[in-house]
Amino acid sequence: MTEPEITPELIAAHGLKPDEYERLLGIIGRVPSFTELGIFSAMWNEHCSYKSSKKWLRTLPTTGPQVICGPGENAGVVDIGDGQAVIFKMESHNHPSYIEPHQGAATGVGGILRDVFTMGARPIAAMNALSFGMPDHPKTAHLVKGVVEGVGSYGNAFGVPTVGGEVRFHRSYNGNCLVNAFAAGLADTDAIFYSAASGVGMPVVYLGAKTGRDGVGGATMASAEFDDTIEEKRPTVQVGDPFTEKRLLEACLELMASGAVISIQDMGAAGLTCSAVEMGDKGGLGIKLVLDHVPQRERNMTAYEMMLSESQERMLMVLKPEKEAEARAIFVKWDLDFAIVGETIPEDRFLILHGNEVVADLPLSKLSSSAPEYDRPWVETPPAQPLGDVPAIDPIAALEALIGSPNYAHKAWVWEQYDSMVMADTVRNPGMGAGVVRVHGTQKMLAFTSDVTPRYVRANPFEGGKQAVAEAYRNLTAVGALPLATTDNLNFGNPEKPEIMGQFVGAIKGIGAAVAALDIPIVSGNVSLYNETDGKGILPTPTIGAVGILMSAEDLISGLPQADDLAVVIGETRGHLGQSALLAEAFGIEAGDAPHVDLDAEKAHGTFLRAQRKSLRAATDLGDGGLALAAFEMAEAAGLGIALASDNIATLFGEDQARYLVAVAPEDWPGLQEAATAAGVPLSKAGTFGGETLRLGAAEKPMTVLSALYRSAFAKAVAS
């Protein structure tokens, strides 16, 4: 087959700028082959090289006594005691999910699960954070249905419980939805597997499913804005098979237990190219591949297609040669491909042969370490204008505006499509704050949450970045968990626009300050840029996934309020309404500043709540919608009414940070007050649970009416 001529148009189609192509020529000293151009394009695109974000990612706190392995591997590794570790990461599959929602979301789940089990961990929990356009946009219902089905079908069939997540709607996502997938697994601390190759002449082994043409160029597509050619990009979306992935999991864990594995890497973005280059580069070795040995499910595949295919359910491994027969037998048993496709070599070369011809011969280290790295110009987000007068509204009508919107309505329509109980260790289902899963065979439990408020980040990237971390910290604390560590999924628009890069820089600074103050370092993550369509960017959405630990069931706060319990607020209420959910949903106003986040108060109030857990019947953090929304949700879940003393809109719906709502039995109230005074923590009685109505000051409405609205609004909004 004749290779196409390397033209400026072809170079541009591969996402390489003219100066980047000149850099490529300087490295290899000649015009690249078509396959070599594809390899450079894959390794140097934004999705794989982080060329716009590396400078700022290096500033994030990533270490701590609990951290075994921080960013740079497939997933982060955190010690949970007793020789065990939790391994977790969050990653985006945004562009593929907009083009082909079911497969895009499904393969996003598959990819993040592989990131976890390629390190030797058995997955125990999944989450997803989903951002869609307005419900009345012509594509939204189709996207919601396809994405939720894709997440559910893959996770359910694979057999991992989905225990939490988020769903939001905003016009900024009309042309670019976000699908952020999280997975966590358990491993023994002495049986963690890394990706750095070692040893010369070691066999490089292809494992799993066969290679097809699906997903060719997917990483490059994910590093570009959308325009009116979007439908032409459908072939770049991968196709997943969760049953094959389940077999791959079992085969890999069995293989790892056999002692045959030197290093292992999943084939995700840029497939065979990225996995081989990363293994070689981390080990300071070269890699030789013979593509004729790659298992293929389509005829007449070219070297270019094989190197850039993103077919799913595949791994690459460096194997101990003496273990080849044993390793092969394991994969034959699981009905998966096992093929020696190359070897490690001492030279700094990425040598690719196909049909007895050299189709690529490149300096391997330059593909990774010499990728362009940019210090992009950025401008600080200007300070928000003061909010001004807030329109008058009846407090009950204000609450109805929230619970009747798809952003704050009950999300059972979504999470009931996910199996949250598979593996039989789920303690706390989605829909009630952080998800909680038992560490099988021990007294311990792990809690998981995912959080960000994009409106805050747009108004004030620094405070918004802090707030995303603080809310994750509070969600874990509210179930009684000690927060351990975080992962980030940084979704932004085009970094070549200084104002967008300024949002990114501000958010990173805020995230860094918060994870340092709250002792929850970032141990893994993902950056997704160019989330724009026709020049219109998304809201900056730096999603924070967080993990916490409970040492026993006694630490868990999972009850519901009972009649006559007191509704008590931990923290100070000032009535901050800037960028609030109330203004957005009731009036379509997104104005004012984000709330300030006092990190010292966050830590003090979280520490106090965990210390007083035995005095608390139930707990939730106060975030979007403030006291009124949290009190309604807590009462509604318990089948009770709630009476709050105040009818002041700012008091009820303000979104001041470092606050929790707790349900306290009357007899426990004096002791809690005494403890709060001793700790210097603000504490106030806001109302009482019980009865059959919701009362806000003198305003009142039956809970049955409000509950019916709350539980039906989401399905109505996204009905096709």
Side-chain angles (χ1 to χ4, degrees):
M1 179 180 172
T2 305
E3 289 204 335
E5 180 187 355
I6 308 299
T7 63
E9 293 75 18
L10 190 65
I11 293 162
H14 280 75
L16 292 170
K17 301 271 169 52
D19 60 319
E20 292 174 339
Y21 183 67
E22 290 301 317
R23 183 190 187 107
L24 182 165
L25 294 178
I27 287 171
I28 66 174
R30 57 178 170 79
V31 173
S33 70
F34 181 54
T35 300
E36 288 174 332
L37 180 68
I39 288 170
F40 266 104
S41 162
M43 292 307 300
W44 284 11
N45 66 52
E46 195 72 58
H47 193 74
C48 292
S49 74
Y50 293 83
K51 59 191 176 188
S52 297
S53 56
K54 270 182 185 173
K55 170 185 166 72
W56 297 103
L57 296 176
R58 293 190 188 103
T59 68
L60 289 170
T62 59
T63 60
Q66 72 275 45
V67 179
I68 295 173
C69 176
E73 277 293 337
N74 286 289
V77 185
V78 174
D79 197 329
I80 60 168
D82 307 313
Q84 290 181 300
V86 59
I87 296 179
F88 63 95
K89 187 182 183 185
M90 197 166 209
E91 196 159 74
S92 60
H93 229 224
N94 303 335
H95 284 45
S97 298
Y98 189 76
I99 297 168
E100 180 53 69
H102 185 108
Q103 288 299 342
T107 52
V109 174
I112 199 67
L113 289 168
R114 285 196 305 282
D115 278 338
V116 165
F117 73 73
T118 194
M119 297 196 72
R122 180 175 290 279
I124 60 162
M127 295 190 294
N128 52 86
L130 311 176
S131 302
F132 298 104
M134 295 302 283
D136 59 0
H137 187 271
K139 282 206 74 161
T140 298
H142 165 70
L143 289 170
V144 173
K145 182 174 184 290
V147 166
V148 171
E149 283 181 353
V151 168
S153 67
Y154 204 102
N156 297 353
F158 178 85
V160 63
T162 299
V163 299
E166 309 170 88
V167 185
R168 72 177 54 83
F169 298 85
H170 189 275
R171 73 185 76 84
S172 73
Y173 306 107
N174 280 349
N176 198 128
C177 65
L178 302 183
V179 175
N180 294 176
F182 170 99
L186 286 174
D188 292 335
T189 54
D190 61 356
I192 295 163
F193 289 81
Y194 298 99
S195 57
S198 63
V200 172
M202 297 294 132
V204 174
V205 184
Y206 175 114
L207 306 169
K210 288 178 168 58
T211 293
R213 290 186 172 93
D214 54 320
V216 172
T220 301
M221 177 270 294
S223 304
E225 293 182 30
F226 281 151
D227 54 29
D228 56 10
T229 65
I230 187 170
E231 288 302 318
E232 297 169 18
K233 296 174 180 174
R234 193 172 299 276
T236 62
V237 178
Q238 313 90 328
V239 178
D241 178 357
F243 299 106
T244 298
E245 179 124 331
K246 174 65 171 173
R247 286 184 284 122
L248 183 61
L249 162 72
E250 299 300 344
C252 283
L253 294 182
E254 190 174 335
L255 183 68
M256 290 163 172
S258 75
V261 178
I262 294 174
S263 66
I264 188 164
Q265 173 80 33
D266 88 291
M267 288 195 227
L272 196 52
T273 290
C274 197
S275 55
V277 169
E278 287 189 6
M279 290 173 80
D281 187 54
K282 288 176 184 174
L285 292 167
I287 300 279
K288 174 185 174 183
L289 296 178
V290 182
L291 298 185
D292 306 80
H293 300 158
V294 169
Q296 298 158 55
R297 69 165 187 262
E298 298 187 50
R299 295 168 63 89
N300 302 317
M301 288 190 71
T302 65
Y304 179 97
E305 290 169 332
M306 278 187 271
M307 292 306 297
L308 298 184
S309 166
E310 293 181 9
S311 294
Q312 296 291 287
E313 293 86 43
R314 302 180 301 159
M315 298 281 206
L316 202 63
M317 172 184 68
V318 178
L319 172 75
K320 292 178 182 173
E322 67 275 13
K323 294 277 192 176
E324 179 188 338
E326 184 179 355
R328 187 184 297 276
I330 291 169
F331 274 74
V332 168
K333 180 182 78 173
W334 286 102
D335 193 24
L336 293 164
D337 278 292
F338 177 101
I340 295 176
V341 295
E343 63 178 341
T344 57
I345 56 178
E347 304 88 9
D348 179 19
R349 293 172 78 188
F350 193 35
L351 183 60
I352 314 296
L353 282 72
H354 186 220
N356 294 320
E357 288 184 16
V358 174
V359 292
D361 189 355
L362 301 169
L364 185 142
S365 63
K366 300 294 185 186
L367 290 166
S368 180
S369 59
S370 291
E373 187 172 325
Y374 297 119
D375 184 2
R376 295 207 184 272
W378 59 279
V379 294
E380 198 160 321
T381 301
Q385 295 297 309
L387 179 59
D389 293 335
V390 174
I393 188 169
D394 172 81
I396 298 287
L399 180 67
E400 288 176 318
L402 291 175
I403 63 175
S405 81
N407 277 311
Y408 303 105
H410 198 258
K411 301 296 193 301
W413 185 92
V414 176
W415 56 258
E416 284 178 356
Q417 297 186 52
Y418 306 150
D419 188 339
S420 59
M421 299 305 293
V422 65
M423 300 178 78
D425 280 320
T426 304
V427 176
R428 193 175 166 92
N429 280 335
M432 294 287 290
V436 181
V437 172
R438 277 183 290 266
V439 179
H440 199 76
T442 75
Q443 294 294 307
K444 294 178 294 198
M445 300 177 184
L446 290 169
F448 305 98
T449 189
S450 157
D451 297 285
V452 66
T453 307
R455 287 190 315 277
Y456 294 172
V457 187
R458 181 180 59 185
N460 188 327
F462 181 70
E463 291 296 338
K466 284 163 59 181
Q467 194 276 338
V469 175
E471 186 167 342
Y473 177 89
R474 291 197 302 270
N475 273 334
L476 295 176
T477 292
V479 297
L482 174 68
L484 283 178
T486 47
T487 181
D488 58 18
N489 201 151
L490 307 173
N491 309 273
F492 288 82
N494 184 344
E496 297 168 49
K497 297 178 179 176
E499 65 276 15
I500 300 294
M501 198 65 209
Q503 292 176 344
F504 183 86
V505 171
I508 285 276
K509 290 180 175 179
I511 290 166
V515 298
L518 300 174
D519 299 322
I520 45 176
I522 296 276
V523 297
S524 59
N526 171 248
V527 178
S528 175
L529 303 177
Y530 296 95
N531 288 290
E532 300 204 358
T533 299
D534 295 327
K536 294 178 182 176
I538 60 163
L539 284 180
T541 311
T543 310
I544 299 295
V547 177
I549 191 165
L550 302 102
M551 297 314 293
S552 74
E554 293 180 359
D555 289 346
L556 182 66
I557 305 169
S558 65
L560 295 169
Q562 295 182 12
D564 301 323
D565 278 356
L566 303 177
V568 173
V569 174
I570 298 172
E572 189 174 356
T573 299
R574 295 187 180 92
H576 182 96
L577 285 172
Q579 298 298 332
S580 64
L582 173 67
L583 292 187
E585 298 297 344
F587 306 109
I589 296 172
E590 295 178 17
D593 201 359
H596 172 67
V597 180
D598 181 335
L599 293 169
D600 291 336
E602 292 286 1
K603 190 162 191 184
H605 299 176
T607 301
F608 172 77
L609 187 149
R610 289 190 300 273
Q612 299 302 317
R613 71 185 95 218
K614 289 186 169 50
S615 303
L616 312 177
R617 188 105 66 192
T620 185
D621 90 299
L622 293 188
D624 275 8
L627 170 62
L629 181 59
F632 166 79
E633 289 175 343
M634 193 181 270
E636 199 271 350
L640 296 172
I642 173 84
L644 298 178
S646 177
D647 63 358
N648 180 274
I649 291 296
T651 300
L652 290 170
F653 296 96
E655 296 179 5
D656 307 287
Q657 300 296 295
R659 296 187 304 155
Y660 300 85
L661 175 65
V662 295
V664 181
E667 60 269 23
D668 291 328
W669 171 238
L672 190 66
Q673 280 184 299
E674 189 177 321
T677 301
V681 171
L683 196 70
S684 58
K685 189 162 61 173
T688 308
F689 290 97
E692 297 179 354
T693 64
L694 175 118
R695 283 214 322 272
L696 303 177
E700 188 171 16
K701 195 151 193 175
M703 281 295 287
T704 51
V705 175
L706 295 170
S707 181
L709 172 64
Y710 177 58
R711 289 184 176 260
S712 64
F714 188 92
K716 282 182 183 173
V718 299
S720 297

